[in-house]
Amino acid sequence: MKSYCIHVIMACALLLGLTGASLAQSIKTNVPLLLTGSPNIGIETTLTRQLTLDAEVMWMPYMFKKHEEVFRASMGSIECRYHVNPAHYYTNDSWDGFYVGPYALYGQFNIGRYRHHDMDRSFRRKGWGVSGGLTAGYKFYLSPRFKIDINVGLGYAHLQYNKYKLGGEYADFPLEQKATKAWIGPTKFGVYLVYNIFR
């Protein structure tokens, strides 16, 4: 399952990379993630007057020496958006207003927190996850070049991971292997600054 998901994400990234320069109508960044030091970027491409394809990638690089805490994650997502009665629609395919659509997400993580002031009760989880569901959002018009995009995704998430001690001489020996966890609810959220490439 993991290798299949990686191949799907890589294929989508390759297609978007090959066509993104010529088809992308806008680029964007998730401002709250950027303010916490997590690089991220996305593009939005026009399919029809009311359909767009949105793709984004994100990386969280945090590693803390004290207590060997770690918060590392990388993620890629793709979604199709249906814009309900888009406003400020120009001949260059700019769009605003309310939208809904399905999304798919894949990511890898390595997260460990120091808890209860006790290394013996602190653990690290390393693995991968997939999610799919429905996203809804609103793109606010600021100018022909800039917009603010706020969205939230609700869906199902599946995580698989190995569990380790947070630190010490046995930190690389798994206590649990291929443990799984499922979640139904909010799985993505963003407040994006969007730059329209073509006015």
Side-chain angles (χ1 to χ4, degrees), residues 114-131:
Y114 180 63
R115 304 187 66 168
H116 311 293
H117 305 286
D118 185 356
M119 289 297 283
D120 289 332
R121 297 167 65 190
S122 301
F123 303 99
R124 176 175 62 92
R125 290 167 177 84
K126 182 178 182 180
W128 58 273
V130 293
S131 177

Side-chain angles (χ1 to χ4, degrees), residues 8 29 52 77 83 93 95-96 98 122 133 135 152 181 184 193 199:
V8 169
T29 188
T52 62
S77 69
H83 296 260
D93 296 337
W95 51 89
D96 303 315
F98 178 74
S122 301
T135 186
V152 64
K181 187 168 283 191
I184 296 176
L193 177 63
R199 278 195 308 146

Side-chain angles (χ1 to χ4, degrees), residues 31-163:
V31 176
L33 285 177
L34 197 62
L35 292 176
T36 62
S38 300
N40 69 92
I41 192 167
I43 63 169
E44 192 163 2
T45 301
T46 299
L47 300 177
T48 70
R49 186 185 187 280
Q50 289 180 273
L51 283 179
T52 62
L53 188 66
D54 183 88
E56 58 188 272
V57 292
M58 177 274 300
W59 178 50
M60 291 183 180
Y62 310 122
M63 178 77 177
F64 307 100
K65 294 293 184 184
K66 188 176 181 180
H67 306 304
E68 299 185 46
E69 290 183 292
V70 61
F71 197 98
R72 289 185 171 166
S74 58
M75 180 189 72
S77 69
I78 191 165
E79 65 183 73
C80 185
R81 295 176 169 183
Y82 174 76
H83 296 260
V84 180
N85 193 22
H88 298 101
Y89 183 85
Y90 303 100
T91 57
N92 58 10
D93 296 337
S94 177
W95 51 89
D96 303 315
F98 178 74
Y99 60 84
V100 294
Y103 76 90
L105 182 151
Y106 173 80
Q108 295 183 329
F109 59 89
N110 184 8
I111 299 172
R113 292 179 50 218
Y114 180 63
R115 304 187 66 168
H116 311 293
H117 305 286
D118 185 356
M119 289 297 283
D120 289 332
R121 297 167 65 190
S122 301
F123 303 99
R124 176 175 62 92
R125 290 167 177 84
K126 182 178 182 180
W128 58 273
V130 293
S131 177
L134 189 67
T135 186
Y138 196 92
K139 193 177 289 183
F140 296 91
Y141 175 88
L142 299 178
S143 74
R145 287 284 189 192
F146 290 98
K147 293 152 180 76
I148 296 291
D149 183 358
I150 300 175
N151 64 38
V152 64
L154 300 174
Y156 171 79
H158 172 83
L159 304 177
Q160 182 174 301
Y161 58 88
N162 294 341
K163 182 179 177 181

